[in-house]
């Protein structure tokens, strides 16, 4: 019987100092923390890919209007809709998440006094204004000729995708290594 793996539990006395965790316990915790971070990062990356595919599908829905519209305004709406969707994809992938204060890039920027670029700072707000304007402008083409019947619905896709990405970014928060470090337990017996 190997007694080195487990120690008998003793109630801590007030006079005794708490025992320090052995090397093996520390390694197990570090491995668990790294495993959780990797799993969470992989899951986030998977969801980002799914939403990028959705955004690119919405971009593809503007292509028929771009090619077949007989007037210029629907083409302008299509180009603006596509640019809004590309801005939404940029927002999803490259703009640091600052909701909840748990994003490592935002914390890194705060710690290092690194400011975000103007594009990263203002693009989400400008896109939040542009997307509903495209939808409203598309509503004016409900009964107009020269575009397909569902064009006004397609014009609301940038707004819908922007709202979805806004919600998704709130849920795709990185695992904070500092927060996990604080959750380490002290080894006390068994």
């Amino acid at each position: 019987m190997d007694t080195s793996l487990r120690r008998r539990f003793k109630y801590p006395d007030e006079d005794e100092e708490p025992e320090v965790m052995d090397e093996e316990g520390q390694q197990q915790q570090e491995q668990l923390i790294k495993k959780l971070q990797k799993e969470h990062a992989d899951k986030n990356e998977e969801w980002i890919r799914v939403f990028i595919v959705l955004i690119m599908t919405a971009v593809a829905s503007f292509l028929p209007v771009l090619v077949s519209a007989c007037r210029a305004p629907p083409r302008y709406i299509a180009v603006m809709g596509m640019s809004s969707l590309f801005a939404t994809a940029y927002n999803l992938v490259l703009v640091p998440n600052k909701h909840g204060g748990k994003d490592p890039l935002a914390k890194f920027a705060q710690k290092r006094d690194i400011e975000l670029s103007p594009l990263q700072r203002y693009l989400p707000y400008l896109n939040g204004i542009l997307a509903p304007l495209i939808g409203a402008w598309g509503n004016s083409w409900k009964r107009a000729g020269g575009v397909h019947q569902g064009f006004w619905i397609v014009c609301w896709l940038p707004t819908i995708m922007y709202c979805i990405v806004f919600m998704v970014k709130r849920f795709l928060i990185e695992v904070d290594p500092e927060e996990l470090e604080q959750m380490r337990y002290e080894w006390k017996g068994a």
Side-chain angles (χ1 to χ4, degrees):
M1 183 181 262
D2 189 12
T3 58
S4 65
L5 294 177
R6 293 189 76 150
R7 295 184 183 187
R8 180 177 283 178
F9 178 75
K10 294 190 300 183
Y11 286 100
D13 294 337
E14 291 180 13
D15 300 337
E16 289 182 22
E17 290 184 18
E19 294 183 36
V20 179
M21 187 186 316
D22 61 347
E23 292 276 329
E24 187 176 320
Q26 288 178 351
Q27 287 177 354
Q28 286 177 349
Q29 282 189 3
E30 287 175 13
Q31 288 173 352
L32 179 64
I33 288 171
K34 287 178 184 177
K35 178 185 167 202
L36 289 172
Q37 287 174 332
K38 185 178 181 324
E39 286 176 0
H40 193 75
D42 290 345
K43 195 181 297 183
N44 280 357
E45 191 174 311
E46 187 177 310
W47 280 109
I48 286 174
R49 285 185 185 142
V50 166
F51 286 107
I52 289 295
V53 168
L54 284 174
I55 291 171
M56 291 304 129
T57 304
V59 166
S61 67
F62 279 105
L63 292 176
V65 175
L66 201 60
V67 173
S68 66
C70 60
R71 297 183 191 172
R75 286 188 181 146
Y76 295 145
I77 295 173
V79 169
M80 286 176 39
M82 291 169 70
S83 63
S84 175
L85 288 166
F86 286 130
T88 301
Y90 179 87
N91 182 26
L92 178 64
V93 176
L94 296 175
V95 175
N97 190 357
K98 50 189 173 184
H99 300 293
K102 297 180 181 178
D103 183 51
L105 290 176
K107 280 190 175 183
F108 178 77
Q110 289 172 357
K111 286 181 184 176
R112 306 277 190 232
D113 293 328
I114 296 173
E115 292 193 23
L116 300 174
S117 71
L119 185 66
Q120 289 176 329
R121 185 179 302 144
Y122 299 116
L123 185 66
Y125 300 114
L126 294 173
N127 194 24
I129 294 169
L130 177 64
L133 288 176
I134 294 168
W137 194 10
N139 269 353
S140 68
W141 289 87
K142 260 186 185 179
R143 292 181 180 86
V147 291
H148 59 83
Q149 293 283 329
F151 178 65
W152 68 275
I153 296 171
V154 172
C155 290
W156 283 105
L157 284 177
T159 305
I160 293 167
M161 293 309 297
Y162 179 81
C163 292
I164 289 172
V165 166
F166 183 78
M167 296 297 285
V168 163
K169 282 192 68 98
R170 287 189 175 267
F171 294 112
L172 292 182
I173 296 174
E174 297 291 327
V175 172
D176 186 9
E178 293 172 8
E179 193 174 299
L180 287 176
E181 289 291 328
Q182 292 173 356
M183 293 175 64
R184 282 180 175 251
Y185 59 87
E186 294 297 322
W187 184 76
K188 293 182 181 175

